[in-house]
Amino acid sequence: MASTADFRNGMTINLDGTLFTILWFQHHKPGKGNTVVRSKLRNVLTGAVLEKTFRAGERIDEVRLEHRPMTYSYSDGHFYHFMDSQTYEDIPLAGAVIGDDQLKYLKEGMEVDGLVHGESVISVELPYFVVLTVTQTDPGVRGDTATGGTKPATLETGAVVQVPLFLNEGDVIRVDRREDKYMERAK
């Protein structure tokens, strides 16, 4: 058990059975009354942000989360299977745990970071930059480059991003998956 005096940014706590990460906190002493701690918390599973005020000295349950390297193996239609790189154990996860924003960039053999609480994996985090092959895009038309034009391109995982006109099918590119943004050609 910890108290509000032990708060630090990035600390994970358990509130009513839900895991939250502390994004921001501030001790506040109003003119009247007792000192309080104002905080912003992010739900570890859903990403929702919550503002909560604690009494100074209130006891909270601190949680230790472990990061483990994992490799994506395959999908059986219901679950996405990952292999723990340390124990070689097969770990099936539902798509809702991974999130739609990450699923569109997930490909077989990709190294991911697994977030483990106790003995169970509660989420995975893909690398910020992924290298994928363009599988479908329209050819660039000569003369359309005066304004630095872009065109949509479908990647091998099914994700669609805007790319420069000079890219063609079969090109390998680096994409920032957080912003769905083309970064550069991969070497």
Side-chain angles (χ1 to χ4, degrees):
M1 286 296 247
S3 73
T4 56
D6 300 321
F7 273 12
R8 64 189 180 282
N9 291 339
M11 180 181 187
T12 304
I13 61 174
N14 184 350
L15 287 179
D16 302 324
T18 306
L19 299 180
F20 289 93
T21 300
I22 298 173
L23 300 176
W24 172 87
F25 70 96
Q26 177 184 35
H27 292 272
H28 177 71
K29 172 71 172 131
K32 288 184 175 180
N34 296 328
T35 303
V36 295
V37 179
R38 295 180 180 155
S39 64
K40 273 193 182 178
L41 310 171
R42 176 183 292 133
N43 188 314
V44 171
L45 298 177
T46 65
V49 176
L50 165 76
E51 291 190 16
K52 181 158 175 63
T53 302
F54 297 92
R55 293 184 314 270
E58 185 175 336
R59 306 298 282 171
I60 49 115
D61 186 16
E62 182 178 4
V63 177
R64 300 280 182 192
L65 297 179
E66 179 184 344
H67 292 270
R68 280 193 203 157
M70 303 173 88
T71 305
Y72 173 61
S73 299
Y74 66 96
S75 172
D76 63 9
H78 299 289
F79 294 100
Y80 295 86
H81 294 264
F82 294 85
M83 180 185 69
D84 187 322
S85 298
Q86 294 174 349
T87 64
Y88 303 107
E89 179 182 349
D90 179 50
I91 301 166
L93 295 174
V97 172
I98 301 166
D100 291 336
D101 59 328
Q102 293 192 110
L103 283 175
K104 64 184 175 184
Y105 292 109
L106 188 63
K107 79 174 193 179
E108 289 184 13
M110 182 177 280
E111 296 288 326
V112 299
D113 186 32
L115 193 59
V116 181
H117 176 245
E119 291 300 316
S120 62
V121 177
I122 57 174
S123 71
V124 294
E125 181 77 21
L126 272 64
Y128 293 146
F129 302 101
V130 293
V131 176
L132 299 169
T133 304
V134 176
T135 57
Q136 192 281 322
T137 188
D138 297 329
V141 178
R142 188 178 187 113
D144 283 350
T145 60
T147 59
T150 60
K151 61 184 179 180
T154 304
L155 306 176
E156 63 185 296
T157 60
V160 177
V161 296
Q162 293 292 321
V163 298
L165 294 173
F166 62 82
L167 287 177
N168 298 310
E169 291 180 12
D171 287 347
V172 179
I173 63 172
R174 178 172 283 115
V175 177
D176 183 346
R177 68 156 183 86
R178 298 167 295 177
E179 299 179 15
D180 296 323
K181 185 177 177 185
Y182 163 82
M183 298 305 293
E184 63 186 358
R185 276 190 182 170
K187 287 144 180 98

